[in-house]
Amino acid sequence: MEVLLLGTGAADGWPNPFCNCASCADAAQRGEIRGQTAALIDDVLLLDCGPEAPRAAVRLRRNLAGVRYMLLTHAHTDHLGPQALLFRAWADAGHVLEVIGPADALDACRPWVGPDDPVRFVSVTAGDRITVGNYDVGVLPARHKVFRDGDSVLYDLTGPDGSRILWACDTGPLPADWFDRVRGTAFDAVFVEETFGDRSELGPGHHGLPEFAETVAALRRCGAVVDSTDVVAVHLGHHNPPIAELRERLRACGARPGADGEVLCVGAERPVHRTLVLGGVRSGKSRHAEELLASYPTVTYVATGGTHEGDPEWSQRVALHRERRPDSWSTIETSDVAKVLRDAAGPLLVDCLGTWLTARLDLHGVWNGGDAAAVDADIDDLLDAWRQCRVPVVAVSNEVGSGVVPASASGRLFRDMLGRLNASVASVSDTVTLVVAGIPVSLR
């Protein structure tokens, strides 16, 4: 089952367009813009459809013409933009759309549907279990209301391949007996709202960070969340701390923040994701790479620079890097990166390709007219290992092509070879990011 997160933000998104708090400023600076939470399942089923969801799908290069089912959790306007039904009527989809949800949410939709429009409404309440095409759907109660108790629900969704997810958005903390309904389900992924961050006092209808941690712990105790479950926080708002801190705090309870545009292949072996992070000196590229892997409990940091005996400035750089990494991370100092990539059993951070290339040039004596072809062979071996790597991996590299032409022949050689190496690694990476002045800019 493929889950595309069309949005992962709260009603006002994150950042709030009218806010200049530190959390919003950080999100804006990073370019991590979250829209209203919704998801597209296998291109045929929408989980909630707020006013921003259809346009988000288009921006993510997805067409909604094939959507046959729309599961609504409740009638709050960030989860239900009924005007989408009118827009659909202006195009000939060629099939009936089933709109499924609590009665009040369906009532909000009816004025937007003409008498001959191919739309069928299916009212559900907590406790129902229905078949939706090839999907089995359990309807669960939510601690959230629009007009009256019971007018909001959550969904337990099983796909055609047997994969199973929990869509728990919106809801506040749930009573103890709620967890009996999902006991032993061992979900492949759970999406739990986490709206209020450190402002839990704002209301009982949403989770703050403490309540989120308690809900995840309760899901673990009842066997709904197991070691293989991907626990994803959604409906994130600006009452949360800046994203780097949020990642750390969610990691403490075995969860991570979702991201707009993220695709999850639920139930299948988690897809390998290869990320290249480029940047100039002191651009923040290493810190950004570390943040990308912050949700994993253990990561192997592959330090390609080795040790520099008698160089206190280098030792200080290494110490600063180590201090900001979690204690659970391990470090390997080696220039044989290809072997590490092939042997890895868990996530890797390779920092960096520039020092790796320097080590290979040293090894083959290229600075003094040695065998440059041997370095090319090493690069081919690295690229082959990068393609074959079966774990999530992030590699950091220096972007050296934007400065002045180096004055020395060796400097020009290094610049040219690293530029070609970066381009080659980028061509076989899933994500490529350039960090400029601490701001990550997505290139792919």
Side-chain angles (χ1 to χ4, degrees):
M1 184 162 51
E2 182 195 78
V3 180
L4 167 62
L5 293 176
L6 299 175
T8 56
D12 53 347
W14 186 21
N16 178 311
F18 301 94
C19 183
N20 59 4
C21 73
S23 180
C24 286
D26 176 76
Q29 182 187 48
R30 291 170 175 271
E32 295 195 28
I33 312 301
R34 287 174 164 80
Q36 296 163 347
T37 294
L40 177 64
I41 311 295
D42 296 331
D43 286 329
V44 300
L45 188 152
L46 275 169
L47 275 170
D48 282 330
C49 184
E52 296 179 351
R55 191 59 54 188
V58 174
R59 291 193 182 99
L60 295 169
R61 300 182 180 180
R62 294 298 179 99
N63 187 291
L64 299 183
V67 171
R68 294 175 178 269
Y69 316 104
M70 185 184 295
L71 266 63
L72 305 174
T73 55
H74 61 293
H76 275 145
T77 54
D78 58 313
H79 294 260
L80 174 56
Q83 63 271 28
L85 298 173
L86 176 62
F87 304 154
R88 180 181 183 272
W90 296 345
D92 183 9
H95 56 80
V96 173
L97 174 68
E98 291 188 11
V99 181
I100 302 152
D104 287 334
L106 302 188
D107 287 344
C109 295
R110 296 183 198 278
W112 295 89
V113 176
D116 298 322
D117 290 348
V119 175
R120 185 167 75 93
F121 293 106
V122 180
S123 179
V124 295
T125 59
D128 290 346
R129 182 164 290 277
I130 62 172
T131 298
V132 178
N134 294 322
Y135 301 85
D136 180 73
V137 179
V139 186
L140 301 168
R143 190 183 177 192
H144 194 82
K145 71 177 183 178
V146 185
F147 307 110
R148 58 185 64 83
D149 291 337
D151 65 1
S152 300
V153 298
L154 312 176
Y155 290 111
D156 167 3
L157 179 69
T158 302
D161 59 356
S163 57
R164 194 169 183 177
I165 68 170
L166 172 65
W167 186 255
C169 181
D170 287 352
T171 183
L174 297 156
D177 60 359
W178 184 95
F179 297 91
D180 293 334
R181 301 169 185 260
V182 295
R183 186 171 300 280
T185 48
F187 288 108
D188 294 291
V190 299
F191 302 88
V192 181
E193 71 114 272
E194 195 285 287
T195 308
F196 285 154
D198 292 315
R199 297 292 307 277
S200 301
E201 80 281 0
L202 291 176
H206 292 286
H207 285 85
L209 278 165
E211 295 78 23
F212 178 90
E214 291 169 6
T215 293
V216 172
L219 288 168
R220 292 189 190 280
R221 288 193 297 270
C222 74
V225 167
V226 294
D227 289 345
S228 60
T229 305
D230 194 4
V231 182
V232 183
V234 293
H235 210 264
L236 300 166
H238 72 133
H239 296 301
N240 280 287
I243 190 65
E245 180 183 342
L246 178 61
R247 286 194 180 102
E248 286 292 320
R249 293 176 66 175
L250 290 174
R251 188 174 66 86
C253 61
R256 63 180 182 84
D260 289 28
E262 179 180 354
V263 177
L264 294 83
C265 296
V266 178
E269 181 180 349
R270 288 195 189 181
V272 175
H273 199 88
R274 303 169 185 84
T275 300
L276 175 63
V277 177
L278 301 168
V281 174
R282 297 298 190 186
S283 63
K285 60 186 183 297
S286 293
R287 184 182 294 275
H288 177 68
E290 292 164 8
E291 291 173 357
L292 291 176
L293 293 170
S295 62
Y296 292 95
T298 59
V299 174
T300 299
Y301 186 96
V302 186
T304 64
T307 57
H308 293 201
E309 297 295 335
D311 188 340
E313 190 272 339
W314 180 264
S315 298
Q316 184 179 18
R317 282 174 177 257
V318 171
L320 288 173
H321 275 247
R322 285 181 170 171
E323 285 173 8
R324 71 173 184 240
R325 298 198 295 264
D327 293 338
S328 60
W329 286 27
S330 60
T331 301
I332 296 176
E333 293 182 349
T334 181
S335 64
D336 193 355
V337 174
K339 183 178 187 303
V340 175
L341 290 169
R342 292 189 175 102
D343 295 345
L348 297 175
L349 196 164
V350 180
D351 194 358
C352 73
L353 296 183
T355 50
W356 174 84
L357 179 61
T358 300
R360 308 320 286 179
L361 291 166
D362 288 343
L363 177 67
H364 299 296
V366 175
W367 307 117
N368 299 312
D371 189 3
V375 179
D376 291 335
D378 288 344
I379 291 174
D380 290 341
D381 187 44
L382 176 73
L383 292 170
D384 181 67
W386 182 259
R387 292 187 194 95
Q388 293 182 27
C389 186
R390 303 310 306 159
V391 299
V393 57
V394 177
V396 177
S397 190
N398 298 296
E399 179 49 61
V400 295
S402 301
V404 297
V405 176
S408 65
S410 59
R412 291 191 292 273
L413 172 68
F414 177 76
R415 177 202 60 181
D416 292 348
M417 293 192 74
L418 183 58
R420 289 194 293 270
L421 173 61
N422 288 345
S424 297
V425 174
S427 71
V428 289
S429 297
D430 303 294
T431 300
V432 182
T433 300
L434 175 65
V435 181
V436 182
I439 302 171
V441 180
S442 176
L443 304 181
R444 174 184 298 152

